[in-house]
Amino acid sequence: MIAEFPSPCLPSKCRHFGLAAAFALAVLAATVGSASERSPLAPIFPPIDPSLRPPAPERSLPPHSIRFEEFAPADTALVPDLPTHIAFVNGLEVISEVTNDRLTYRGEGSNSEWEYSPLVVDGPHATVFSPPRQLFYVADTNNHRIVSFGQIDNSSFSSTGTIAGIVLTRPHDILFDPGADITYVLNPNEPTVLRFSAFGVDEAALDLSLSAGGYSRGISLIGGTVFVAASTQGRVIEINDFDTGDVTVHTSYGKVAAANAGSWETTGFIPNDIEFYDGYWYLSNFFHPSYANGTDHNRFKLVRFGTWEDLESGQWEELSHLLPDGQIPYFFTVHEGSLYLATFDAVAADDAVYRITTGLFFDDFESGDLSAW
């Protein structure tokens, strides 16, 4: 069975079809598959007494300590459709657009109009660049392959559908480790982290199906360590040693049900991605109104916390109110002192990439109003 339910990569790839309908079809397809096609059923978490859930955070961030700015499209003609990632690589800003089936780019810091790569891809999720090889690598998700190319304004490319003997199935995320000259790829179903120096060179695989326990969307490199967002089970997997398979599992508080979409009340966390920025861990969740069963689909879709103990005990800060209603936060990118977040709207075509910065007295200090002190 090849299915993510739900996924931003919809069979129709068109909002006119309706996200809810497409998600329902994906769930149905996953449900009626033969037993031999299915992965082992993920464990179902026991119900949690609602009184034990963390309340709406009382220590929400003051408005002057964090700033959300629309980075793209901002004041350009770009109309992004399901952007999942932005990369700052090889002097370029590159956005992976799932529904538009394209890589959108411009010169870094130019604030010029965006251009569209002629590269033929289907539902790309993320892009990286390897300086030693002077190659871009793209998770070409719906084509079940990794694509490499030297020039983003050229349609020539190479590709592979297998790494370390593992067939790529909707590869979701990709990252480059400059310290080790290694590229990592996440195969989300029965999650496996794959790595290579070049296609066919130094390839290896790490099976995380037991520790992740289900569909996993995001992979991050933080302080030289690889982390995986284990979506279905609401976990973050820290890979201590790739070669030996030693990992640490960080489980989020308040998990109710194993699922690939939902809401805080119906499922608990469903991580899309994890990142560390300016002293905090940031976590995005796939909370969708069609899977919220009438509950608040915005609550805790974007949070930050200080330690893994905070994640496990439910001590986090709510950031969801900084995003529009129904907008789903996806992959993060840290770049030159800012945190970037690709988002897409669950219903309307209100997709954007945001730049997040933190600091003291943003608005009040700059305006001369010291009352917030």
Side-chain angles (χ1 to χ4, degrees):
M1 171 70 63
I2 300 174
E4 174 192 5
F5 49 99
S7 165
C9 308
L10 305 176
S12 66
K13 309 200 47 204
C14 175
R15 283 193 175 88
H16 296 298
F17 179 80
L19 285 180
F23 285 175
L25 287 176
V27 172
L28 178 61
T31 303
V32 300
S34 68
S36 62
E37 293 175 321
R38 299 185 199 137
S39 301
L41 292 177
I44 300 299
F45 291 84
I48 290 179
D49 183 341
S51 66
L52 299 179
R53 289 185 174 281
E58 298 179 359
R59 54 191 184 104
S60 295
L61 294 172
H64 54 265
S65 66
I66 191 165
R67 173 185 287 163
F68 269 60
E69 303 171 279
E70 185 179 282
F71 182 76
D75 297 325
T76 70
L78 174 66
V79 181
D81 203 345
L82 254 165
T84 49
H85 179 254
I86 185 169
F88 298 87
V89 289
N90 199 33
L92 298 173
E93 302 165 358
V94 183
I95 297 175
S96 301
E97 294 187 64
V98 171
T99 303
N100 277 337
D101 294 330
R102 71 188 183 193
L103 301 181
T104 303
Y105 71 97
R106 67 183 180 183
E108 185 176 343
S110 65
N111 294 321
S112 60
E113 277 301 329
W114 297 85
E115 300 181 62
Y116 309 125
S117 171
L119 186 73
V120 177
V121 288
D122 189 353
H125 272 57
T127 304
V128 296
F129 183 75
S130 169
R133 285 163 183 75
Q134 289 295 293
L135 288 174
F136 295 87
Y137 291 98
V138 175
D140 191 9
T141 303
N142 291 347
N143 279 325
H144 310 294
R145 66 185 182 181
I146 300 300
V147 169
S148 71
F149 54 94
Q151 299 294 328
I152 199 167
D153 58 355
N154 192 299
S155 60
S156 298
F157 67 91
S158 298
S159 67
T160 185
T162 62
I163 297 174
I166 305 296
V167 176
L168 294 173
T169 305
R170 305 193 73 251
H172 244 54
D173 204 359
I174 187 168
L175 64 84
F176 176 74
D177 181 354
D181 186 18
I182 290 287
T183 299
Y184 291 89
V185 178
L186 178 62
N187 232 16
N189 291 298
E190 299 180 353
T192 303
V193 177
L194 308 164
R195 72 180 188 189
F196 60 90
S197 294
F199 290 163
V201 179
D202 299 328
E203 295 186 342
L206 175 60
D207 183 353
L208 294 180
S209 56
L210 292 179
S211 55
Y215 205 89
S216 300
R217 289 190 175 99
I219 185 171
S220 305
L221 181 68
I222 303 169
T225 299
V226 175
F227 294 82
V228 173
S231 309
T232 301
Q233 300 290 356
R235 301 169 181 165
V236 175
I237 309 301
E238 180 176 359
I239 301 177
N240 303 315
D241 190 312
F242 188 98
D243 295 319
T244 65
D246 179 49
V247 301
T248 300
V249 178
H250 304 287
T251 301
S252 61
Y253 174 81
K255 189 65 176 172
V256 178
N260 291 1
S263 69
W264 164 248
E265 290 185 46
T266 60
T267 61
F269 281 173
I270 302 176
N272 291 324
D273 199 15
I274 183 75
E275 188 54 86
F276 190 80
Y277 167 69
D278 197 20
Y280 287 89
W281 296 93
Y282 286 75
L283 186 140
S284 59
N285 286 290
F286 206 120
F287 290 164
H288 191 286
S290 295
Y291 283 81
N293 294 331
T295 64
D296 186 351
H297 55 270
N298 291 307
R299 189 182 187 203
F300 297 153
K301 67 183 179 184
L302 180 63
V303 301
R304 78 175 194 176
F305 52 91
T307 67
W308 295 118
E309 290 75 16
D310 290 341
L311 175 68
E312 294 167 359
S313 63
Q315 301 300 310
W316 49 70
E317 294 177 331
E318 171 72 296
L319 302 178
S320 306
H321 58 286
L322 300 173
L323 293 174
D325 173 46
Q327 200 166 57
I328 297 174
Y330 213 72
F331 287 161
F332 297 104
T333 304
V334 175
H335 179 66
E336 291 190 349
S338 293
L339 177 66
Y340 293 80
L341 174 62
T343 69
F344 53 91
D345 195 285
V347 178
D350 187 19
D351 302 348
V353 175
Y354 291 93
R355 176 167 51 203
I356 305 169
T357 49
T358 57
L360 294 175
F361 318 120
F362 267 142
D363 297 329
D364 302 303
F365 184 77
E366 291 171 0
S367 66
D369 179 5
L370 305 184
S371 61
W373 285 33

